[in-house]
Coordinates of all heavy atoms in Angstrom, one line a residue:
I1 N -7.8 -14.1 -58.3 CA -7.3 -15.4 -58.0 C -5.9 -15.2 -57.3 O -5.6 -15.9 -56.4 CB -7.1 -16.1 -59.3 CG1 -8.4 -17.0 -59.6 CG2 -5.9 -17.0 -59.4 CD1 -8.7 -18.1 -58.8
I2 N -5.1 -14.3 -57.8 CA -3.8 -14.0 -57.2 C -3.9 -13.6 -55.7 O -3.2 -14.1 -54.8 CB -2.9 -13.0 -58.0 CG1 -2.6 -13.6 -59.4 CG2 -1.7 -12.6 -57.2 CD1 -2.0 -12.5 -60.3
A3 N -4.9 -12.8 -55.4 CA -5.1 -12.3 -54.1 C -5.5 -13.4 -53.1 O -5.0 -13.5 -52.0 CB -6.2 -11.2 -54.0
I4 N -6.3 -14.3 -53.6 CA -6.7 -15.5 -52.8 C -5.5 -16.4 -52.5 O -5.4 -16.9 -51.4 CB -7.8 -16.3 -53.5 CG1 -9.1 -15.4 -53.6 CG2 -8.1 -17.6 -52.8 CD1 -10.2 -16.0 -54.5
V5 N -4.7 -16.6 -53.5 CA -3.5 -17.4 -53.3 C -2.5 -16.8 -52.3 O -2.0 -17.4 -51.4 CB -2.8 -17.7 -54.7 CG1 -1.4 -18.4 -54.5 CG2 -3.7 -18.6 -55.6
L6 N -2.3 -15.5 -52.5 CA -1.5 -14.8 -51.5 C -2.0 -14.8 -50.1 O -1.3 -15.0 -49.1 CB -1.2 -13.3 -52.0 CG -0.3 -13.1 -53.1 CD1 -0.3 -11.7 -53.6 CD2 1.1 -13.6 -52.8
Y7 N -3.4 -14.6 -50.0 CA -4.0 -14.6 -48.7 C -3.8 -16.0 -48.0 O -3.5 -16.1 -46.9 CB -5.5 -14.3 -48.8 CG -6.2 -14.2 -47.5 CD1 -6.0 -13.1 -46.7 CD2 -7.0 -15.2 -47.0 CE1 -6.7 -13.0 -45.5 CE2 -7.6 -15.2 -45.8 CZ -7.4 -14.0 -45.0 OH -8.1 -13.9 -43.8
A8 N -4.0 -17.1 -48.9 CA -3.8 -18.5 -48.3 C -2.4 -18.7 -47.9 O -2.1 -19.2 -46.8 CB -4.3 -19.4 -49.3
L9 N -1.4 -18.2 -48.7 CA 0.0 -18.4 -48.3 C 0.3 -17.6 -47.0 O 1.0 -18.2 -46.1 CB 0.9 -17.9 -49.5 CG 0.9 -18.8 -50.7 CD1 1.7 -18.2 -51.8 CD2 1.5 -20.2 -50.3
I10 N -0.1 -16.4 -46.9 CA 0.2 -15.6 -45.7 C -0.5 -16.3 -44.5 O 0.1 -16.3 -43.4 CB -0.3 -14.2 -45.9 CG1 0.7 -13.6 -46.9 CG2 -0.3 -13.4 -44.6 CD1 0.2 -12.2 -47.4
T11 N -1.7 -16.8 -44.7 CA -2.4 -17.4 -43.6 C -1.7 -18.7 -43.1 O -1.5 -18.8 -41.9 CB -3.9 -17.8 -43.9 OG1 -4.6 -16.6 -44.4 CG2 -4.6 -18.5 -42.9
F12 N -1.2 -19.5 -44.0 CA -0.4 -20.7 -43.6 C 0.9 -20.3 -42.9 O 1.3 -20.9 -41.9 CB -0.1 -21.5 -44.8 CG -1.4 -22.3 -45.3 CD1 -1.9 -22.2 -46.6 CD2 -2.0 -23.2 -44.4 CE1 -3.0 -22.9 -47.0 CE2 -3.1 -23.9 -44.8 CZ -3.6 -23.8 -46.1
F13 N 1.5 -19.2 -43.4 CA 2.7 -18.7 -42.8 C 2.5 -18.2 -41.4 O 3.3 -18.5 -40.5 CB 3.4 -17.6 -43.7 CG 4.6 -17.1 -43.2 CD1 5.8 -17.9 -43.0 CD2 4.7 -15.8 -42.7 CE1 7.0 -17.4 -42.5 CE2 5.9 -15.2 -42.2 CZ 7.0 -16.1 -42.1
W14 N 1.3 -17.5 -41.2 CA 1.1 -17.0 -39.9 C 0.8 -18.1 -38.9 O 1.2 -18.1 -37.8 CB -0.1 -16.0 -40.1 CG -0.5 -15.4 -38.7 CD1 -1.7 -15.6 -38.0 CD2 0.2 -14.5 -37.9 NE1 -1.7 -14.8 -36.8 CE2 -0.5 -14.1 -36.8 CE3 1.5 -13.9 -38.1 CZ2 0.0 -13.3 -35.8 CZ3 1.9 -13.0 -37.1 CH2 1.2 -12.7 -36.0
V15 N 0.0 -19.1 -39.4 CA -0.3 -20.2 -38.5 C 1.1 -21.0 -38.1 O 1.2 -21.4 -37.0 CB -1.2 -21.2 -39.1 CG1 -1.4 -22.5 -38.4 CG2 -2.6 -20.5 -39.3
W16 N 1.9 -21.1 -39.1 CA 3.3 -21.8 -38.8 C 4.0 -20.9 -37.8 O 4.6 -21.5 -36.9 CB 4.1 -21.9 -40.1 CG 5.4 -22.5 -39.9 CD1 5.7 -23.8 -39.8 CD2 6.6 -21.8 -39.8 NE1 7.0 -24.0 -39.6 CE2 7.6 -22.8 -39.6 CE3 7.0 -20.5 -39.8 CZ2 9.0 -22.4 -39.3 CZ3 8.3 -20.1 -39.5 CH2 9.3 -21.1 -39.4
L17 N 4.0 -19.6 -37.9 CA 4.7 -18.7 -37.0 C 4.1 -18.9 -35.5 O 4.8 -18.9 -34.6 CB 4.6 -17.2 -37.4 CG 5.6 -16.8 -38.5 CD1 5.3 -15.4 -38.8 CD2 7.0 -17.0 -38.0
L18 N 2.8 -18.9 -35.5 CA 2.1 -19.1 -34.2 C 2.4 -20.4 -33.5 O 2.5 -20.4 -32.3 CB 0.6 -18.9 -34.4 CG 0.1 -17.5 -34.7 CD1 -1.4 -17.6 -35.0 CD2 0.4 -16.5 -33.6
R19 N 2.7 -21.4 -34.3 CA 3.0 -22.7 -33.7 C 4.5 -22.8 -33.2 O 4.8 -23.5 -32.4 CB 2.8 -23.8 -34.7 CG 1.3 -24.1 -35.0 CD 1.2 -25.3 -35.9 NE -0.2 -25.5 -36.1 CZ -0.7 -26.6 -36.7 NH1 0.1 -27.5 -37.2 NH2 -2.0 -26.7 -36.9
N20 N 5.3 -22.0 -33.9 CA 6.8 -22.1 -33.6 C 7.4 -20.9 -32.8 O 8.6 -20.9 -32.7 CB 7.5 -22.2 -35.0 CG 7.1 -23.5 -35.6 OD1 7.2 -24.7 -35.0 ND2 6.7 -23.5 -36.8
A21 N 6.6 -19.9 -32.5 CA 7.1 -18.7 -31.8 C 6.2 -18.4 -30.6 O 5.1 -18.9 -30.5 CB 7.2 -17.6 -32.8
N22 N 6.8 -17.6 -29.7 CA 6.0 -17.1 -28.6 C 4.9 -16.1 -29.0 O 5.2 -15.1 -29.7 CB 6.9 -16.4 -27.6 CG 7.8 -17.4 -26.9 OD1 7.5 -18.6 -26.8 ND2 8.9 -16.9 -26.5
L23 N 3.7 -16.4 -28.7 CA 2.6 -15.5 -29.1 C 2.8 -14.1 -28.5 O 2.6 -13.1 -29.2 CB 1.3 -16.1 -28.6 CG 0.0 -15.3 -28.9 CD1 -0.1 -15.1 -30.4 CD2 -1.2 -15.9 -28.3
S24 N 3.3 -14.0 -27.3 CA 3.5 -12.7 -26.7 C 4.5 -11.9 -27.4 O 4.5 -10.6 -27.3 CB 3.8 -12.9 -25.2 OG 5.1 -13.6 -25.0
G25 N 5.4 -12.5 -28.0 CA 6.4 -11.7 -28.8 C 6.0 -11.5 -30.2 O 6.4 -10.5 -30.8
L26 N 5.2 -12.3 -30.7 CA 4.7 -12.3 -32.1 C 3.5 -11.4 -32.4 O 3.4 -10.7 -33.4 CB 4.5 -13.7 -32.7 CG 4.2 -13.8 -34.1 CD1 5.5 -13.5 -35.0 CD2 4.0 -15.3 -34.4
F27 N 2.6 -11.4 -31.4 CA 1.4 -10.7 -31.6 C 1.5 -9.2 -31.7 O 0.7 -8.6 -32.5 CB 0.4 -11.1 -30.5 CG -1.0 -10.9 -30.8 CD1 -1.6 -11.7 -31.7 CD2 -1.7 -9.9 -30.3 CE1 -3.0 -11.5 -32.1 CE2 -3.1 -9.7 -30.6 CZ -3.7 -10.6 -31.5
P28 N 2.4 -8.5 -31.1 CA 2.5 -7.1 -31.2 C 2.9 -6.7 -32.6 O 2.6 -5.6 -33.1 CB 3.7 -6.7 -30.3 CG 3.6 -7.8 -29.2 CD 3.2 -9.0 -30.0
V29 N 3.4 -7.6 -33.4 CA 3.7 -7.3 -34.8 C 2.5 -6.9 -35.6 O 2.6 -6.2 -36.6 CB 4.5 -8.4 -35.5 CG1 4.8 -8.2 -36.9 CG2 5.8 -8.7 -34.7
I30 N 1.4 -7.5 -35.2 CA 0.1 -7.1 -35.9 C -0.2 -5.7 -35.9 O -0.8 -5.1 -36.8 CB -1.1 -8.0 -35.3 CG1 -0.9 -9.4 -35.6 CG2 -2.4 -7.5 -35.8 CD1 -1.9 -10.3 -34.9
A31 N 0.3 -5.0 -34.8 CA 0.1 -3.5 -34.7 C 0.7 -2.8 -35.8 O 0.4 -1.7 -36.2 CB 0.6 -3.0 -33.4
L32 N 1.7 -3.4 -36.5 CA 2.4 -2.7 -37.6 C 1.4 -2.5 -38.8 O 1.7 -1.7 -39.7 CB 3.6 -3.5 -38.1 CG 4.7 -3.5 -37.1 CD1 5.9 -4.3 -37.5 CD2 5.2 -2.1 -36.7
V33 N 0.3 -3.2 -38.8 CA -0.7 -3.0 -39.8 C -1.1 -1.5 -39.8 O -1.4 -0.9 -40.9 CB -1.9 -3.9 -39.7 CG1 -3.1 -3.5 -40.5 CG2 -1.6 -5.3 -40.0
Y34 N -1.2 -1.0 -38.6 CA -1.6 0.5 -38.4 C -0.5 1.4 -38.9 O -0.7 2.6 -39.0 CB -1.9 0.8 -37.0 CG -3.1 -0.1 -36.5 CD1 -2.9 -1.1 -35.6 CD2 -4.4 0.2 -36.9 CE1 -4.0 -1.9 -35.1 CE2 -5.5 -0.6 -36.5 CZ -5.3 -1.5 -35.6 OH -6.3 -2.3 -35.2
V35 N 0.6 0.9 -39.2 CA 1.7 1.7 -39.9 C 1.7 1.4 -41.4 O 1.8 2.4 -42.2 CB 3.1 1.3 -39.2 CG1 4.2 2.0 -40.0 CG2 3.1 1.6 -37.8
I36 N 1.6 0.2 -41.8 CA 1.7 -0.2 -43.2 C 0.6 0.4 -44.0 O 0.9 0.9 -45.1 CB 1.8 -1.7 -43.3 CG1 3.1 -2.2 -42.7 CG2 1.7 -2.2 -44.8 CD1 3.2 -3.7 -42.5
V37 N -0.6 0.3 -43.5 CA -1.8 0.8 -44.3 C -1.7 2.3 -44.6 O -1.8 2.7 -45.8 CB -3.1 0.4 -43.7 CG1 -4.3 1.1 -44.3 CG2 -3.3 -1.1 -43.7
P38 N -1.4 3.2 -43.6 CA -1.3 4.6 -43.9 C -0.2 4.9 -44.8 O -0.2 5.8 -45.7 CB -1.1 5.2 -42.6 CG -1.7 4.3 -41.6 CD -1.5 2.9 -42.1
L39 N 1.0 4.2 -44.6 CA 2.2 4.5 -45.5 C 1.9 4.1 -46.9 O 2.2 4.8 -47.9 CB 3.4 3.7 -45.0 CG 4.0 4.3 -43.7 CD1 5.2 3.4 -43.2 CD2 4.4 5.7 -43.9
M40 N 1.2 2.9 -47.1 CA 0.9 2.6 -48.4 C -0.1 3.5 -49.1 O -0.2 3.7 -50.3 CB 0.4 1.1 -48.5 CG 1.5 0.0 -48.2 SD 2.7 0.0 -49.5 CE 4.1 0.8 -48.6
S41 N -1.1 4.0 -48.3 CA -2.1 4.9 -48.8 C -1.4 6.2 -49.2 O -1.8 6.8 -50.3 CB -3.2 5.2 -47.8 OG -2.7 6.0 -46.8
V42 N -0.4 6.6 -48.5 CA 0.3 7.9 -48.9 C 1.2 7.6 -50.2 O 1.1 8.4 -51.1 CB 1.3 8.3 -47.8 CG1 2.3 9.4 -48.3 CG2 0.4 8.9 -46.6
I43 N 1.9 6.4 -50.2 CA 2.7 6.1 -51.4 C 1.9 5.8 -52.6 O 2.2 6.3 -53.7 CB 3.6 5.0 -51.0 CG1 4.7 5.4 -50.0 CG2 4.4 4.4 -52.2 CD1 5.4 4.3 -49.3
I44 N 0.9 4.9 -52.5 CA 0.2 4.4 -53.7 C -0.9 5.3 -54.1 O -1.1 5.6 -55.2 CB -0.3 2.9 -53.4 CG1 0.9 2.0 -53.3 CG2 -1.2 2.5 -54.6 CD1 0.6 0.6 -52.8
L45 N -1.7 5.7 -53.1 CA -2.9 6.5 -53.4 C -2.7 8.0 -53.3 O -3.7 8.8 -53.6 CB -4.1 6.1 -52.5 CG -4.5 4.6 -52.5 CD1 -5.5 4.4 -51.4 CD2 -5.0 4.2 -53.9
K46 N -1.5 8.4 -53.0 CA -1.1 9.8 -52.9 C -2.0 10.6 -51.9 O -2.3 11.7 -52.1 CB -1.2 10.4 -54.3 CG -0.4 9.7 -55.3 CD 1.1 9.8 -55.1 CE 1.9 9.3 -56.3 NZ 2.9 8.4 -55.9
E47 N -2.5 9.9 -50.8 CA -3.2 10.6 -49.8 C -2.3 11.5 -49.0 O -1.1 11.3 -48.9 CB -3.9 9.6 -48.8 CG -4.9 8.8 -49.5 CD -5.7 7.9 -48.5 OE1 -5.4 7.9 -47.3 OE2 -6.6 7.2 -49.0
P48 N -2.9 12.6 -48.5 CA -2.1 13.5 -47.8 C -1.6 13.0 -46.4 O -2.3 12.1 -45.8 CB -3.0 14.8 -47.6 CG -4.3 14.2 -47.7 CD -4.3 13.0 -48.6
Y49 N -0.5 13.5 -45.9 CA -0.1 13.0 -44.6 C 0.2 14.3 -43.8 O 0.4 15.4 -44.3 CB 1.2 12.1 -44.7 CG 2.4 12.8 -45.3 CD1 3.3 13.4 -44.5 CD2 2.6 12.7 -46.7 CE1 4.4 14.0 -45.1 CE2 3.7 13.3 -47.3 CZ 4.6 14.0 -46.5 OH 5.7 14.5 -47.0
N50 N 0.2 14.2 -42.5 CA 0.4 15.3 -41.6 C 1.2 14.9 -40.4 O 1.6 13.8 -40.3 CB -1.0 16.0 -41.2 CG -1.9 14.9 -40.6 OD1 -1.4 13.9 -40.0 ND2 -3.2 15.2 -40.8
L51 N 1.4 15.9 -39.5 CA 2.3 15.6 -38.4 C 1.7 14.5 -37.5 O 2.4 13.7 -37.0 CB 2.4 16.9 -37.6 CG 3.4 16.8 -36.4 CD1 4.8 16.4 -36.8 CD2 3.4 18.2 -35.7
S52 N 0.4 14.5 -37.3 CA -0.2 13.5 -36.4 C 0.0 12.1 -37.0 O 0.2 11.2 -36.2 CB -1.7 13.8 -36.2 OG -2.4 13.7 -37.4
L53 N -0.1 11.9 -38.3 CA 0.2 10.6 -38.9 C 1.7 10.2 -38.6 O 1.9 9.1 -38.3 CB 0.0 10.6 -40.4 CG 0.2 9.3 -41.2 CD1 -0.7 8.2 -40.7 CD2 0.2 9.6 -42.7
I54 N 2.6 11.1 -38.8 CA 4.0 10.8 -38.6 C 4.3 10.5 -37.1 O 4.9 9.5 -36.8 CB 4.9 12.0 -39.0 CG1 4.7 12.2 -40.6 CG2 6.3 11.8 -38.7 CD1 5.3 13.5 -41.1
V55 N 3.7 11.3 -36.2 CA 3.9 11.1 -34.8 C 3.3 9.7 -34.4 O 3.9 8.9 -33.6 CB 3.4 12.2 -33.9 CG1 3.4 11.9 -32.4 CG2 4.2 13.5 -34.2
G56 N 2.1 9.5 -34.9 CA 1.4 8.2 -34.5 C 2.2 7.0 -35.0 O 2.3 6.0 -34.3
T57 N 2.7 7.1 -36.2 CA 3.5 6.0 -36.8 C 4.7 5.7 -35.9 O 5.1 4.6 -35.6 CB 3.9 6.3 -38.3 OG1 2.7 6.5 -39.0 CG2 4.7 5.2 -38.8
I58 N 5.4 6.8 -35.5 CA 6.6 6.6 -34.7 C 6.2 6.0 -33.4 O 6.9 5.1 -32.8 CB 7.3 8.0 -34.5 CG1 7.9 8.5 -35.8 CG2 8.4 7.9 -33.5 CD1 8.4 9.9 -35.9
L59 N 5.1 6.5 -32.8 CA 4.7 5.9 -31.5 C 4.3 4.4 -31.6 O 4.7 3.6 -30.7 CB 3.5 6.7 -30.9 CG 3.8 8.1 -30.4 CD1 2.5 8.8 -30.1 CD2 4.7 8.0 -29.2
I60 N 3.7 4.0 -32.7 CA 3.3 2.6 -32.8 C 4.6 1.7 -33.0 O 4.7 0.7 -32.4 CB 2.4 2.4 -34.0 CG1 1.0 3.0 -33.7 CG2 2.2 1.0 -34.3 CD1 0.0 3.2 -34.8
V61 N 5.4 2.2 -33.9 CA 6.7 1.4 -34.1 C 7.5 1.3 -32.8 O 8.0 0.3 -32.5 CB 7.5 2.1 -35.2 CG1 8.9 1.4 -35.3 CG2 6.8 1.9 -36.6
S62 N 7.6 2.4 -32.1 CA 8.3 2.4 -30.8 C 7.7 1.4 -29.8 O 8.4 0.7 -29.2 CB 8.3 3.8 -30.2 OG 9.0 4.8 -31.1
G63 N 6.4 1.5 -29.7 CA 5.7 0.6 -28.8 C 5.9 -0.9 -29.2 O 6.2 -1.7 -28.3
V64 N 5.9 -1.2 -30.5 CA 6.1 -2.6 -30.9 C 7.6 -3.0 -30.6 O 7.8 -4.1 -30.1 CB 5.9 -2.8 -32.4 CG1 6.4 -4.1 -33.0 CG2 4.4 -2.6 -32.7
L65 N 8.5 -2.1 -30.8 CA 9.9 -2.4 -30.5 C 10.1 -2.6 -28.9 O 10.8 -3.5 -28.5 CB 10.9 -1.3 -30.9 CG 11.0 -1.1 -32.5 CD1 11.8 0.1 -32.8 CD2 11.7 -2.4 -33.0
V66 N 9.5 -1.8 -28.1 CA 9.5 -1.9 -26.7 C 9.0 -3.3 -26.3 O 9.6 -4.0 -25.5 CB 8.8 -0.8 -26.0 CG1 8.7 -1.1 -24.5 CG2 9.6 0.5 -26.2
I67 N 7.8 -3.6 -26.8 CA 7.2 -4.9 -26.4 C 8.0 -6.1 -26.9 O 8.2 -7.1 -26.1 CB 5.7 -5.0 -26.9 CG1 4.9 -3.9 -26.2 CG2 5.2 -6.4 -26.7 CD1 3.5 -3.8 -26.7
T68 N 8.4 -6.1 -28.1 CA 9.2 -7.2 -28.6 C 10.6 -7.4 -28.0 O 11.0 -8.4 -27.8 CB 9.3 -7.2 -30.1 OG1 9.9 -6.0 -30.6 CG2 7.9 -7.4 -30.8
R69 N 11.2 -6.3 -27.7 CA 12.5 -6.3 -27.0 C 12.4 -6.8 -25.6 O 13.3 -7.4 -25.0 CB 13.2 -4.9 -27.0 CG 13.6 -4.5 -28.3 CD 14.8 -5.4 -28.8 NE 15.1 -5.0 -30.1 CZ 16.0 -5.7 -30.9 NH1 16.4 -6.8 -30.5 NH2 16.2 -5.3 -32.1
A70 N 11.2 -6.6 -25.0 CA 11.0 -7.0 -23.6 C 10.9 -8.5 -23.5 O 11.1 -9.2 -22.5 CB 9.7 -6.4 -23.0
Q71 N 10.6 -9.1 -24.7 CA 10.4 -10.6 -24.7 C 11.8 -11.3 -24.8 O 11.8 -12.5 -24.6 CB 9.5 -11.0 -25.9 CG 8.1 -10.4 -25.9 CD 7.3 -10.7 -24.7 OE1 7.4 -11.9 -24.2 NE2 6.7 -9.8 -24.1
V72 N 12.8 -10.6 -25.2 CA 14.1 -11.2 -25.5 C 14.8 -11.5 -24.2 O 14.7 -11.0 -23.2 CB 15.0 -10.3 -26.4 CG1 16.3 -10.9 -26.5 CG2 14.3 -10.2 -27.7

């Protein structure tokens, strides 16, 4: 039940953001899912990490920063 409530709140928040912000600046933030999920799997599930995970994470974050800064 808690997960459903959180999902609904996040969905409403996302729709509100989409209505009030530029999609081209907001949409790249979705790419951060590819950073958050591996980091949480390392922290919570104690999965191993390696150099390619670290480099990939840095590249994704850098790309999101470049794209979002270009919108300013």
Side-chain angles (χ1 to χ4, degrees):
I1 273 289
I2 294 172
I4 294 171
V5 171
L6 285 175
Y7 185 78
L9 289 173
I10 291 170
T11 301
F12 285 120
F13 181 65
W14 182 247
V15 170
W16 179 82
L17 282 175
L18 289 174
R19 289 183 179 189
N20 296 307
N22 291 333
L23 180 61
S24 61
L26 189 60
F27 203 71
V29 176
I30 292 177
L32 292 178
V33 167
Y34 298 108
V35 173
I36 295 169
V37 170
L39 286 178
M40 290 295 107
S41 70
V42 168
I43 293 169
I44 296 172
L45 302 175
K46 307 293 188 225
E47 290 186 0
Y49 61 94
N50 53 29
L51 183 61
S52 64
L53 177 67
I54 295 168
V55 171
T57 300
I58 291 170
L59 287 172
I60 291 170
V61 171
S62 300
V64 169
L65 288 174
V66 167
I67 292 172
T68 55
R69 290 291 176 193
Q71 303 299 320
V72 176

